[in-house]
Amino acid sequence: MPTRLFRNARLVTMAAPLDITPVEQATIVSVDGRIAYAGPEADAPATPESAEVIDLEGRLVTPGLIDCHTHLVHGGNRAHEFELRLAGASYEEIARAGGGIVSTVTATRSSGEDGLVETALPRLDHLIAEGVTTVEVKSGYGLTLDSERAQLRAARRLAAERKVTVSTSFLGAHALPTEFKDDRAAYLTLVRDEMLPAIAAEGLADCVDAFCEAIAFSPEEVDDLFAAAGRLGLKVRLHADQLSNLGGAALAARHGALSADHLEHTDEAGAASMAAAGTVAVLLPGAFYFIRETKLPPVDHFRRHGTKIAIATDCNPGTSPMTSPLLVMNMAATLFRLTVAECLAGMTIHAAAALGLARDTGSIEAGKWCDLAVWNAERPAELVYRIGFNPLAARYWRGE
């Protein structure tokens, strides 16, 4: 891979401290896909005559965006259920008629691995088109070992189809499949003792996730699963405190989770425990908007205790059918009152931390992958302020 010299950039590094004032007349040097230098052009080291020079023509440059919470790989969609809800049908009525997550599980199981890749690629392409260079993908719509494997294998294949980094999460504890509706203990035993070890042995998951909620799995059930994940050397993340406060944030922190996600009902003690454990708060404004939530996540608690805040699309067919990271940033600012700097950090360096990848990506610093988003924008606020407008001029993944 050639040495590349990106010159004439207005650089927003997202390195600590999080100052989003662009470095004018900046240069980035990429060697073998990693950043060798990023800063003022006047201080740049000498580069070989053979280096490829790319003139960015004064454009704004940020780290490539990171979507750290998605359910990108799944079968089918739930547009018809959306119509039914608009017409007044309740979630329970839709579920009794075979809708809800059950319909996505049915569609996912019948899609096959190739079908899952085929339908996920257009969603991934939308993310890439808005500057995403790293994306997390969860399973959780198969709920059998074979179909969970198929989802995770499909997710891994996305990285071979596109120039993007893919991080995978095993979400077997997402919902109770219908065949176990009368024996949840048996399903959890299956997830813990059969699915989890098999998926870990095959290297299909970078992380283990779970949905801790009254309509899903209890803190005690999640605690048992996370203990098993720890014994296998897998990091954990958690869907927590979305609809009620079951202490999910504190539970995630006790297990040293990379992140706890949603968090609308998290209390101050939970925010403090996350900060102490280094667990990132991942906020998902798309789901908040789509299901018409009114309880705001406790952003002030996170700020007070220094809990890192990330944001993500939560792309999924049921509660956040969204593939626009730019819109997510606008929603996070408008609905959750995040600042421009918090929104940008939330989709770069803090999102990287939520995936355990901050040593390699998320900011433009020497030693990290050269993942860049180049924008036709004068100031960083434009990336958060505009709605339905994509100013991406170029995207570089590992220097290419």
Side-chain angles (χ1 to χ4, degrees):
M1 188 180 296
T3 296
R4 287 192 169 92
L5 174 67
F6 300 88
R7 62 174 303 274
N8 199 10
R10 301 178 62 247
L11 188 59
V12 180
T13 67
M14 300 313 298
L18 297 178
D19 181 0
I20 61 170
T21 303
V23 178
E24 303 289 342
Q25 286 295 311
T27 290
I28 304 162
V29 179
S30 171
V31 179
D32 294 330
R34 289 193 180 267
I35 297 167
Y37 171 81
E41 191 166 319
D43 299 332
T47 55
E49 288 187 8
S50 60
E52 179 183 354
V53 179
I54 300 167
D55 188 350
L56 298 180
E57 301 178 335
R59 291 186 175 90
L60 193 72
V61 181
T62 70
L65 301 186
I66 298 172
D67 197 352
C68 67
H69 181 131
T70 86
H71 305 254
L72 201 67
V73 172
H74 60 80
N77 68 70
R78 309 239 286 269
H80 178 56
E81 295 175 21
F82 179 65
E83 288 185 284
L84 292 176
R85 285 204 307 277
L86 292 177
S90 69
Y91 181 85
E92 290 77 14
E93 289 168 338
I94 292 170
R96 281 198 299 270
I101 192 171
V102 173
S103 65
T104 300
V105 170
T106 300
T108 299
R109 288 178 177 179
S110 65
S111 293
E113 186 180 318
D114 289 343
L116 292 172
V117 172
E118 181 181 355
T119 56
L121 280 173
R123 293 188 281 268
L124 177 60
D125 286 341
H126 276 279
L127 298 178
I128 288 172
E130 291 193 5
V132 167
T133 51
T134 299
V135 61
E136 184 261 10
V137 182
K138 303 180 193 297
S139 66
Y141 285 124
L143 309 184
T144 66
L145 177 55
D146 285 345
S147 54
E148 290 288 299
R149 274 178 174 146
Q151 276 194 276
L152 292 168
R153 286 172 178 160
R156 292 285 198 220
R157 283 174 56 184
L158 296 179
E161 296 284 343
R162 298 291 187 269
K163 293 189 178 193
V164 66
T165 300
V166 175
S167 177
T168 56
S169 299
F170 169 56
L171 184 56
H174 189 197
L176 196 65
T178 53
E179 60 267 30
F180 284 91
K181 63 183 176 64
D182 296 321
D183 196 350
R184 63 187 294 112
Y187 179 67
L188 285 162
T189 298
L190 176 69
V191 171
R192 183 195 64 206
D193 295 346
E194 294 187 36
M195 290 190 193
L196 181 57
I199 284 166
E202 293 180 45
L204 290 174
D206 301 306
C207 203
V208 175
D209 203 339
F211 185 17
C212 183
E213 194 56 74
I215 62 171
F217 298 98
S218 72
E220 294 76 19
E221 291 165 336
V222 171
D223 187 69
D224 184 54
L225 176 63
F226 280 6
R231 290 192 292 272
L232 291 168
L234 287 169
K235 295 288 188 179
V236 297
R237 308 180 67 199
L238 186 63
H239 289 61
D241 302 342
Q242 180 184 11
L243 305 174
S244 62
N245 184 8
L246 296 183
L251 169 62
R254 284 199 302 275
H255 284 274
L258 293 173
S259 75
D261 304 30
H262 288 289
L263 303 174
E264 282 87 339
H265 290 262
T266 296
D267 56 23
E268 185 164 5
S273 64
M274 288 176 64
T279 299
V280 178
V282 179
L283 307 185
L284 305 170
F288 179 91
Y289 164 83
F290 198 78
I291 64 175
R292 300 177 180 177
E293 280 287 341
T294 57
K295 174 74 171 172
L296 291 167
V299 171
D300 286 343
H301 291 338
F302 297 141
R303 288 171 175 155
R304 185 176 304 116
H305 292 281
T307 313
K308 291 178 180 177
I309 300 173
I311 55 178
T313 64
D314 190 17
C315 176
N316 77 78
T319 62
S320 188
M322 176 187 289
T323 51
S324 173
L326 295 174
L327 180 56
V328 166
M329 287 197 286
N330 179 271
M331 284 182 163
T334 304
L335 299 175
F336 296 163
R337 306 294 192 267
L338 297 192
T339 66
V340 170
E342 286 171 332
C343 289
L344 286 174
M347 292 218 80
T348 55
I349 189 60
H350 291 170
L355 299 178
L357 298 177
R359 288 190 176 186
D360 283 319
T361 192
S363 60
I364 302 175
E365 298 179 83
K368 295 193 176 186
W369 290 117
C370 188
D371 294 345
L372 310 175
V374 182
W375 308 95
N376 289 316
E378 288 298 314
R379 55 192 301 154
E382 289 182 50
L383 307 181
V384 180
Y385 145 80
R386 290 185 182 270
I387 301 173
F389 179 80
N390 183 4
L392 188 74
R395 168 192 171 277
Y396 292 88
W397 178 76
R398 300 190 177 183
E400 296 189 327

